[in-house]
Amino acid sequence: MAARDGNGWVQCRCGSRHWGLFGAAGLLLHRPGPAQGEVLMQLRAPWVHQGGTWAAPGGAADSHEDAVTAALREAEEEAGVSPARVEVLGLLTSVDHGDWAYHVVLARSGAHDLAVAGNCESEEMRWVALESVARLPLHPAFAASWPTVRSTLVRLLAAQA
Ligand SMILES: [Zn+2]
């Protein structure tokens, strides 16, 4: 298996550079809670790109991975989330620049007590009420996609109920 061959920068036609030679993926994991429940958010360590901001855990996909595989691996590495306790509901391409794309894997966990623990790329992992996410200092790309991501998640959860 090719190990971590996706780590690297892409100089994108949009004029920016993005992390992940084969694109990147994140896991937006929902669990039951008051109101609309909670999602798992990561405060990115100060030394990573756009550090000090909040986003769903995620990172660069490797050449042999699809978005779901990459997102689940990153969430396990960064947050200790066991893939066996995650039910994938859907997939959303939140950024597509042609040269680079970011995919959000929408998922749920029934486990109220799901343990999370960050690695060195995480300053903190926290379950955040869905309605409070927008009040965090978000990663700019995550913030831009959040209204669409949130409404898609709510629709998928309602379809499961
Ligand atoms: Zn771009």
Side-chain angles (χ1 to χ4, degrees):
M1 176 165 121
R4 310 316 319 270
D5 64 355
N7 283 343
W9 292 99
V10 171
Q11 187 60 48
C12 183
R13 70 186 70 175
C14 75
S16 296
R17 57 180 197 149
H18 307 293
W19 182 252
L21 298 176
F22 305 98
L27 181 72
L28 187 73
L29 184 63
H30 180 270
R31 73 172 184 181
Q36 288 187 305
E38 300 171 316
V39 289
L40 184 60
M41 296 290 288
Q42 174 191 44
L43 177 58
R44 300 154 62 83
W47 54 267
V48 305
H49 186 53
Q50 298 284 4
T53 59
W54 291 84
D62 290 332
S63 59
H64 60 283
E65 290 180 318
D66 61 19
V68 171
T69 307
L72 291 176
R73 174 182 52 73
E74 288 284 344
E76 186 169 27
E77 288 175 2
E78 296 183 347
V81 173
S82 168
R85 307 192 65 178
V86 173
E87 179 189 359
V88 174
L89 301 175
L91 180 66
L92 182 71
T93 300
S94 61
V95 178
D96 188 355
H97 290 173
D99 293 326
W100 186 86
Y102 193 94
H103 307 282
V104 179
V105 175
L106 302 154
R108 69 173 178 179
S109 175
H112 292 260
D113 60 343
L114 188 67
V116 292
N119 72 356
C120 63
E121 293 176 20
S122 309
E123 190 82 356
E124 184 183 346
M125 302 295 310
R126 189 193 297 171
W127 290 100
V128 179
L130 205 59
E131 62 270 25
S132 301
V133 169
R135 290 201 288 274
L136 294 171
L138 297 174
H139 183 283
F142 187 87
S145 66
W146 175 244
T148 304
V149 169
R150 176 182 176 168
S151 62
T152 305
L153 176 67
V154 168
R155 183 168 48 76
L156 288 168
L157 288 168
Q160 299 288 320

